[in-house]
Amino acid sequence: MTDPTAAAARLYSDLHSGFQLVAAVEAALPVSWLTLDLVALQRKPLPVVEEFTLRLCQQGVNTIPDIAAVLGVDNDVVQTAVAGQLSAETLDYRMVRQPEGPGVRTLRLTPAGVKAVTELETTTPQRVEQTNAFDRLQWVPAEYSKSELITRDQAKASGMVFLPSSRTHEVTAQDVTPRTLNTLFANTDKDVDPAPSRRLSASVQLDVLAVEAVTRQPRRYLPVVLLVFSALEFDEVRLSVVVDDLASDRHSDLLLQAGGADKLGITVAEPVGEPELPAHLRELRVSYETVRGLQKRADNTRPGASCTAPGDAAADDSVTARAELAALTVRSVPTFEHRELLAHALRDARRRFLLITPFVRDAVVDQDLIADLEVLLRRRGFLAHIAYGLGHPAREHDSEAINRLRKLAERYPNLTLVRLREAVPGCLIFDDTWINSSFDWLAYCGGPDRAYRREEGTLIRATDIVNNRYAEAVATLKSSLEVR
């Protein structure tokens, strides 16, 4: 599964001219999940017999016996259909005098019946109970589904940045207009979920006439991506919100009005800088600009997607760019790509995995990462080393994350876990790939201070060079090994 933060960073890294992307992080957009008492017109398709009863009335067949004869059904069946349409006020049933003989009870379409024949549906005013999301930053009803939303505890456990609400009070019926709800229902396949006593068919459509009350509104959060940009020429931090893979100018503008980076406590710190590379690797290193150019061309189509038409120039260029990127043996690694590379290592490493990183956070070292590591450790002959600390005191790490790693190391002797008291170069090595970088591999969600750094790295794919760096790193870990 594609990391939504990496996808957003790839797509919008150049969103603001004169700014550079520093970080792409998970954020929690505040939402109220409303239960609404509505007065609405219930639109539902006509049953077959009722439909043809109306159609025949339109054509002049206007008595129950005649309609039953045409349809080939009993009179009782037509009488039931007529009773339903009398309730819906689509038919008028009255005695009509005949020139000769007694009067005959005759059916006639009302104006509502004429419309029903045309639209093949009926409308009935009803009171219904409807659930709907309410975006508390935009302060409008939204089309987010309940399955997309998470609780505050879930957002906190994932290390998400909590975005503010535009207003602090609860949502009232005046904040939810019938017009807005009808627009939402028209633009989405909205499932109506009323109370059991007022449950409607799945085929029912509603035209809201009035919102009478908001009866329940638990707080929830929608996972979104927050892009953090830093100005190149002056001191300014700019934020952009990405919702459902699309940059939302409206959310971004409202976040700025609410206080932006200052409100969220977000700052951009100076990068630690990439660990020193040997001179011959620096000379071979392909620049950030060249790598980003190739990535943008490669991202025009999904990896593995086939060209939909012969001679598709964009698709052909994307395949070419992807091949050129894969062929680079020493190249720049943009900040956002570090997380993709870590996920790739945890998923695909076959022989070895070595990680040296300064901090460890609960939001990154979660149960999913532990499960991925465990899959690696079960592979025959696999070796893993994780070193953290790099001179930072124990209080700067999350204890639960450390405990998870320690328990894993106790179960698998092929995992070496080391806390380093001295500063050493950070890196990620898996199989024959080495990423030389000071990136916070196990703390990329940011610490409590929400300070982000733009750390660029270098990827090296050269077996002898990677083997030498791996041997040096393992030797450093062994010399600094503490009791786990």
Side-chain angles (χ1 to χ4, degrees), residues 426-448:
C427 71
L428 167 65
I429 296 175
F430 60 98
D431 296 339
D432 294 325
T433 300
W434 163 30
I435 297 93
N436 185 60
S437 176
S438 297
F439 183 72
D440 282 341
W441 296 99
L442 298 183
Y444 50 70
C445 291

Side-chain angles (χ1 to χ4, degrees), residues 385-457:
H385 298 79
I386 297 177
Y388 69 95
L390 311 192
H392 295 279
R395 66 176 180 275
E396 295 186 9
H397 310 289
D398 290 347
S399 58
E400 182 60 30
I402 300 298
N403 288 335
R404 287 171 183 160
L405 291 172
R406 282 177 178 165
K407 289 178 181 178
L408 191 65
E410 290 169 0
R411 293 169 54 201
Y412 293 93
N414 52 333
L415 169 59
T416 300
L417 179 64
V418 182
R419 179 184 161 209
L420 296 177
R421 294 185 179 276
E422 69 279 358
V424 300
C427 71
L428 167 65
I429 296 175
F430 60 98
D431 296 339
D432 294 325
T433 300
W434 163 30
I435 297 93
N436 185 60
S437 176
S438 297
F439 183 72
D440 282 341
W441 296 99
L442 298 183
Y444 50 70
C445 291
D449 57 356
R450 296 294 181 197
Y452 298 100
R453 306 191 314 269
R454 184 177 182 269
E455 297 291 355
E456 187 179 339

Side-chain angles (χ1 to χ4, degrees), residues 140-162:
V140 293
E143 57 188 65
Y144 315 137
S145 68
K146 190 173 184 180
S147 61
E148 295 178 285
L149 306 180
I150 60 176
T151 65
R152 183 177 183 85
D153 287 345
Q154 289 173 315
K156 186 176 180 180
S158 298
M160 293 183 176
V161 177
F162 287 93

Side-chain angles (χ1 to χ4, degrees), residues 287-335:
S287 69
Y288 172 90
E289 290 74 18
T290 300
V291 169
R292 282 300 293 133
L294 287 171
Q295 288 176 337
K296 290 174 185 177
R297 288 168 52 201
D299 289 342
N300 284 334
T301 59
R302 299 185 311 276
S306 58
C307 299
T308 55
D312 187 334
D316 291 343
D317 182 63
S318 177
V319 172
T320 300
R322 198 171 292 119
E324 291 177 8
L325 192 61
L328 299 178
T329 56
V330 183
R331 68 164 177 86
S332 166
V333 175
T335 302

Side-chain angles (χ1 to χ4, degrees), residues 73-189:
V73 298
D74 293 337
N75 285 358
D76 290 347
V77 175
V78 177
Q79 286 174 350
T80 300
V82 168
Q85 291 306 301
L86 288 173
S87 298
E89 299 182 350
T90 59
L91 285 177
D92 186 20
Y93 192 34
R94 65 179 62 187
M95 185 71 70
V96 176
R97 296 184 180 277
Q98 302 294 322
E100 298 178 358
V104 177
R105 294 188 67 84
T106 304
L107 295 166
R108 182 177 62 85
L109 292 177
T110 66
V114 174
K115 183 178 180 182
V117 171
T118 303
E119 298 181 355
L120 295 181
E121 63 182 17
T122 58
T123 58
T124 306
Q126 285 198 358
R127 280 182 166 79
V128 297
E129 189 176 81
Q130 171 71 40
T131 56
N132 205 88
F134 189 90
D135 186 320
R136 294 186 62 86
L137 180 55
Q138 294 192 94
W139 207 255
V140 293
E143 57 188 65
Y144 315 137
S145 68
K146 190 173 184 180
S147 61
E148 295 178 285
L149 306 180
I150 60 176
T151 65
R152 183 177 183 85
D153 287 345
Q154 289 173 315
K156 186 176 180 180
S158 298
M160 293 183 176
V161 177
F162 287 93
L163 302 185
S165 297
S166 293
R167 306 172 194 176
T168 57
H169 64 75
E170 295 293 275
V171 181
T172 67
Q174 289 70 38
D175 296 319
V176 187
T177 65
R179 179 178 180 181
T180 304
L181 289 178
N182 288 329
T183 300
L184 284 178
F185 297 167
N187 292 338
T188 61
D189 295 325

